[in-house]
Amino acid sequence: MNQWSADLFTGAAADRADMAAILAHALREQAAGRGELCDLLGLEPAALEALVARWCPGLTLPALAPPGPLPIEQSDLATLLLWRGGRTSDEARWLAAILARRALEASHLWEDLGLPSRAHLGRLIERHFPRLHAANTRNMRWKRFFYRQICTDHGGTMCLAPNCEACAEQPLCFGPDAD
């Protein structure tokens, strides 16, 4: 891969591909009866329409219903992402809401977003929340890292992500931390 093609997948093109994957995943979930699109993404209809206009022009959205009330941890996660993330752009606000909402799901965050790999999620976070990405010095799983940050901010020492107890990969996340 030459430098030009490597650069192509680190900026706007990478954002476009990631947003398309996230939207496609949420649309599949909606079609499967898992909820309304705005609830699945944690976005108000106007924000979702703006995101689509910017990153996926031409995509036709179904009728949008406003999301229901936010669970407290979803609000806490979105606040963490924006406060610690280092960005205040529209994309950062949209992504903070989406990441916070999808972090409440049962699988790894990258899977719950519909991204092809954990590395894709890491690069997305690095582009839009660089300070938060830099703070993850031990390369923790992102859900675990987010919840640990919130727990630490509130004086705790070890808090689990919402679905860790049922995860088959719990030993990978909660074994000894690598140096």
Side-chain angles (χ1 to χ4, degrees):
M1 181 181 294
N2 64 34
Q3 184 61 43
W4 179 83
S5 60
D7 290 344
L8 182 66
F9 293 103
T10 59
D15 283 340
R16 190 171 296 108
D18 289 343
M19 296 297 184
I22 291 167
L23 288 168
H25 183 73
L27 286 165
R28 284 190 302 274
E29 285 188 336
Q30 182 185 28
R34 296 227 23 237
E36 294 295 325
L37 196 58
C38 288
D39 273 325
L40 292 168
L41 294 170
L43 293 171
E44 292 292 331
L48 181 53
E49 289 167 348
L51 182 148
V52 168
R54 171 130 191 195
W55 294 109
C56 301
L59 176 67
T60 302
L61 292 172
L64 299 176
L70 297 181
I72 189 75
E73 64 258 30
Q74 184 176 338
S75 179
D76 286 348
L77 282 168
T79 299
L80 169 80
L81 287 161
L82 292 171
W83 178 54
R84 293 256 182 103
R87 294 278 196 268
T88 58
S89 66
D90 287 338
E91 286 81 10
R93 286 190 296 280
W94 298 333
L95 279 170
I98 293 168
L99 291 171
R101 169 56 188 88
R102 300 311 296 174
L104 302 178
E105 295 297 319
S107 297
H108 293 292
L109 185 54
W110 64 270
E111 293 170 325
D112 289 324
L113 289 164
L115 294 174
S117 70
R118 183 172 180 262
H120 274 82
L121 174 58
R123 288 189 296 271
L124 179 69
I125 291 170
E126 184 176 23
R127 285 191 309 274
H128 293 281
F129 306 107
R131 291 190 326 215
L132 196 61
H133 185 273
N136 189 358
T137 60
R138 299 187 82 143
N139 196 26
M140 265 188 227
R141 302 285 196 267
W142 285 106
K143 262 191 224 183
R144 179 180 181 203
F145 178 74
F146 296 159
Y147 278 85
R148 182 174 254 182
Q149 293 300 302
I150 290 170
C151 185
T152 301
D153 288 349
H154 291 98
T157 57
M158 183 61 168
C159 299
L160 298 178
N163 297 295
C164 290
E165 295 85 9
C167 180
E169 295 185 18
Q170 184 183 28
L172 295 174
C173 295
F174 291 96
D177 286 327
D179 291 328

